[in-house]
Amino acid sequence: MENGNSGDHAVDLFVIGGGINGCGIARDAAGRGLSVTLAEMGDLAQATSSSSTKLFHGGLRYLEYFEFRLVREALTEREVLLRAMPHISWPMRFVLPYHRDMRFEADTPTSRLLGVFMPWMKGRRPAWLIRLGLFLYDHLGGRKILPGTRTVDLTRDPAGSVLKDKFHKAYEYSDCWVEDSRLVVLNARDAEAHGARIMTRSRVVSAVVEDGLWTVQVEDADSGETRAIRAKMLVNAAGPWVGKVIRDTVHLDNGAGVRLVRGSHIVTRRLFDHDKCYFFQGTDGRIIFAIPYETDFTLIGTTDADHDDPDRSPVCTEAEQDYLISFASEYFKTPLSRDDVVWTYSGVRPLYDDGASSATAATRDYVLKLDESTGAPVLNVFGGKITTYRRLAESALEKIGPFFPGTGGRWTGGAALPGGDFPVDGVDRLIAELRAAYPFLDAFWARRLVRAYGTEAAEVLGDAGSAADLGRDFGATLTEREVRWLMDREYAVRAEDVVWRRSKLGLRMSAEQIAALDDWMQDARSNGQAAGE
Ligand SMILES: Cc1cc2nc3c(=O)[nH]c(=O)nc-3n(C[C@H](O)[C@H](O)[C@H](O)COP(=O)(O)OP(=O)(O)OC[C@H]3O[C@@H](n4cnc5c(N)ncnc54)[C@H](O)[C@@H]3O)c2cc1C
């Protein structure tokens, strides 16, 4: 396990994929003393891990499938994660309006049971059953920080004011928000801080076993040059490409299947003034969320549609947009239209193929498959959720550990991510301290920086005494100094890395501003390279 990240040494672990699972495994493994190299073919979190609904949640609807293990693990994990990253994650309250005509998924074990014992319900759920589900949700995983469920009178509560008058009653429960793409980058940074090597824009094109070691060919996205890296073990965390890597890169024939399920979201201007989310139950049995987003917006999603090819970039189709618009309009007093949509995004869930009949019913649990048939070990990662990434990494290390005697034990449970070393309720204090130290910051700017960088926000701003000291102003409070931080510390290369993944400033910047930022970053890169950086 000596440092294999230099020279011709074989590294212990080579991780394919810089999504949350690859970066989470790399961080955990590096912290246990393994030498780790991770290759991501594009930008970190460029695929599924920046396209989620961004919830640390137990998954209320999975209770309908009796997925108690997954729900319990995810519920317990919410507060562990919240403590480790109180800057990019925070508690949220979810309002679930109740109406007797709501229809629930028809092919769940719960539906089948109700069909036998209460056939007259025809896909509806009695209020007591929803309350029972929420009781389980409150108690399965234990809670110390998050408040429990309560019943809400929508005729009086502010949450009812934007909903149609037919909704009188709701249940309100807790889950958490997380900035998914920043979560990935912070895991990558922490992996690097523990000695891992993180290579972005580096596609793994082949991996073969020679003399009991993997030889991995990695192609540089910019130069097209290929280099070989030797490794004792491979982790295939390629997300939607996991099956492709198994078949075409590693050439295994183990029959493991992945089911690609696309999910799309729309973003509208802010539809309501409070900070709670809505959990809407549709007439087709599906659910969607409407979530306060980036201060001035509302996020609505998601859809569930089978997706055939990981190389076909997922987009939110017009049909999906119309579906989400009409779904939400069943609840909101003021119906939505296409004109309200300011942005859409779409991602592909790499689910383990468990033979489920519908995309909605396919398991969201993770599956780790170890394969040694080629003469050297490879661990293939299927499924999972943002919420369970840390536990998935621990389970992966349980399978990896036996190949490396002397590997350290679990450590990530109580360890803060970069910038997250402050109390869960400490954000407002941090914002006040930042504004006192940098009086030129307005409230929006200071909050944005603290939510992104936590205790590192002051390090980003450095010795600036005025906004002018931060260098070029790219718009929407993005300055040269912050962009340099993102390029130097957070692997950002292109403008889209900065405005759609390290931040969501793309919602506030014009196409011209983004193009100007990209030009500036390319110049800074070539100047840096010319200077031998
Ligand atoms: C619409 C939607 C909503 C979701 N909502 C939630 C939610 O609210 N909460 C939650 O907990 N979970 C949610 N999830 C699930 C969660 O987003 C995923 O489980 C998770 O992001 C998967 O991460 P990953 O690392 O496996 O895959 P990815 O993030 O896709 O990472 C895989 C990476 O591998 C790279 N790669 C592939 N092939 C190669 C190669 N040959 N060489 C180098 N790199 C390669 C890709 O570029 C990619 O970046 C949601 C998923 C979707 C689609």
Side-chain angles (χ1 to χ4, degrees):
M1 292 196 295
E2 77 278 20
N3 179 12
N5 275 337
S6 60
D8 291 334
H9 278 301
V11 294
D12 292 330
L13 219 55
F14 189 102
V15 181
I16 306 175
I20 189 54
N21 290 328
C23 292
I25 292 170
R27 174 194 186 218
D28 194 336
R32 295 185 197 220
L34 298 182
S35 60
V36 180
T37 292
L38 178 146
E40 161 54 51
M41 65 181 169
D43 182 28
L44 295 173
Q46 67 163 5
T48 315
S49 296
S50 57
S51 317
S52 79
T53 311
K54 307 173 203 313
L55 302 179
F56 280 152
H57 64 158
L60 187 55
R61 76 176 192 84
Y62 310 138
L63 286 177
E64 287 255 326
Y65 290 92
F66 299 165
E67 293 229 36
F68 296 117
R69 195 210 70 79
L70 171 67
V71 177
R72 180 186 291 112
E73 181 173 283
L75 285 172
T76 313
E77 192 60 8
R78 292 176 309 182
E79 295 197 0
V80 176
L81 298 173
L82 203 52
R83 285 198 176 90
M85 55 195 89
H87 47 339
I88 60 165
S89 173
W90 55 91
M92 270 193 167
R93 296 290 284 170
F94 288 74
V95 176
L96 190 167
Y98 179 73
H99 192 262
R100 58 184 300 278
D101 292 334
M102 294 182 324
R103 290 287 187 282
F104 288 68
E105 290 165 54
D107 58 353
T108 70
T110 307
S111 285
R112 287 194 283 276
L113 266 181
L114 277 179
V116 173
F117 295 108
M118 299 174 75
W120 60 91
M121 291 303 286
K122 294 196 170 86
R124 296 191 302 259
R125 297 286 181 273
W128 62 261
L129 190 65
I130 296 179
R131 196 68 189 78
L132 175 67
L134 286 164
F135 177 83
L136 282 175
Y137 206 73
D138 271 352
H139 296 282
L140 262 181
R143 288 172 293 108
K144 291 204 173 63
I145 303 170
L146 301 173
T149 299
R150 69 176 189 113
T151 306
V152 177
D153 177 356
L154 291 175
T155 61
R156 289 155 175 266
D157 194 280
S161 63
V162 289
L163 299 181
K164 286 182 176 169
D165 293 337
K166 69 175 181 180
F167 298 106
H168 299 245
K169 178 179 168 179
Y171 299 108
E172 190 186 292
Y173 69 94
S174 290
D175 263 325
C176 299
W177 174 261
V178 62
E179 199 41 67
D180 54 2
S181 39
R182 290 207 57 75
L183 174 70
V184 177
V185 170
L186 296 182
N187 270 276
R189 278 190 54 202
D190 210 35
E192 192 176 285
H194 286 91
R197 176 175 180 202
I198 307 292
M199 301 163 65
T200 62
R201 313 174 80 73
S202 303
R203 179 197 298 268
V204 173
V205 287
S206 84
V208 292
V209 178
E210 292 167 341
D211 305 325
L213 291 175
W214 288 101
T215 300
V216 186
Q217 299 289 342
V218 184
E219 185 185 85
D220 184 294
D222 297 323
S223 67
E225 282 166 18
T226 305
R227 59 197 296 201
I229 296 174
R230 307 263 283 161
K232 294 175 190 158
M233 184 167 183
L234 213 58
V235 173
N236 171 10
W241 291 266
V242 60
K244 209 172 163 193
V245 167
I246 290 175
R247 271 189 326 273
D248 305 340
T249 311
V250 189
H251 303 292
L252 295 176
D253 184 20
N254 61 10
V258 61
R259 180 165 187 174
L260 302 182
V261 177
R262 188 177 69 245
S264 297
H265 292 82
I266 57 174
V267 174
T268 66
R269 295 247 158 243
R270 191 167 69 186
L271 298 176
F272 44 89
D273 280 338
H274 56 79
D275 59 0
K276 293 175 187 170
C277 312
Y278 292 100
F279 177 114
F280 293 150
Q281 182 72 51
T283 47
D284 59 354
R286 293 197 64 261
I287 62 120
I288 59 166
F289 296 102
I291 306 174
Y293 187 54
E294 293 288 320
T295 314
D296 299 317
F297 303 90
T298 301
L299 174 64
I300 300 174
T302 167
T303 55
D304 263 327
D306 280 313
H307 191 83
D308 53 2
D309 180 0
D311 288 324
R312 191 162 59 83
S313 268
V315 287
C316 179
T317 62
E318 296 200 344
E320 285 178 297
Q321 290 189 44
D322 290 342
Y323 171 82
L324 292 171
I325 286 168
S326 68
F327 197 144
S329 300
E330 289 292 316
Y331 281 84
F332 287 121
K333 231 177 233 164
T334 311
L336 276 74
S337 80
R338 283 270 189 93
D339 295 338
D340 294 309
V341 178
V342 296
W343 186 50
T344 67
Y345 66 86
S346 197
V348 178
R349 302 175 181 88
L351 304 181
Y352 186 67
D353 195 353
D354 61 353
S357 54
S358 76
T360 310
T363 181
R364 264 56 176 171
D365 212 345
Y366 55 80
V367 175
L368 303 173
K369 293 271 183 196
L370 183 66
D371 194 311
E372 294 179 76
S373 60
T374 52
V378 50
L379 185 67
N380 296 300
V381 177
F382 299 89
K385 303 191 54 63
I386 293 275
T387 314
T388 47
Y389 87 93
R390 195 193 63 81
R391 298 281 289 137
L392 182 151
E394 284 183 343
S395 304
L397 264 296
E398 265 167 39
K399 294 191 181 280
I400 293 167
F403 294 95
F404 304 99
T407 307
R410 297 175 178 207
W411 66 277
T412 55
L417 283 175
D421 50 342
F422 66 97
V424 167
D425 58 359
V427 160
D428 287 335
R429 186 168 169 189
L430 221 58
I431 293 171
E433 284 169 7
L434 196 70
R435 290 193 74 183
Y438 301 93
F440 58 86
L441 296 177
D442 65 20
F444 169 82
W445 193 356
R447 179 166 288 274
R448 180 179 78 72
L449 292 175
V450 167
R451 278 295 181 204
Y453 306 108
T455 52
E456 293 186 328
E459 220 181 308
V460 175
L461 297 174
D463 59 1
S466 70
D469 293 339
L470 296 173
R472 185 162 161 178
D473 175 2
F474 293 102
T477 70
L478 183 68
T479 63
E480 183 176 331
R481 190 162 294 184
E482 186 177 352
V483 176
R484 283 195 190 280
W485 168 281
L486 294 174
M487 294 179 77
D488 294 347
R489 306 282 198 99
E490 297 197 3
Y491 321 94
V493 173
R494 305 300 304 237
E496 64 174 86
D497 308 346
V498 171
V499 305
W500 292 118
R501 285 181 287 274
R502 306 305 181 277
S503 75
K504 289 291 181 289
L505 290 173
L507 286 168
R508 299 169 189 278
M509 291 170 71
S510 67
E512 292 74 33
Q513 286 175 318
I514 296 172
L517 170 65
D518 202 47
D519 287 345
W520 185 90
M521 288 175 71
Q522 296 326 302
D523 284 349
R525 244 182 119 206
S526 17
N527 294 340
Q529 272 159 9
E533 276 175 23

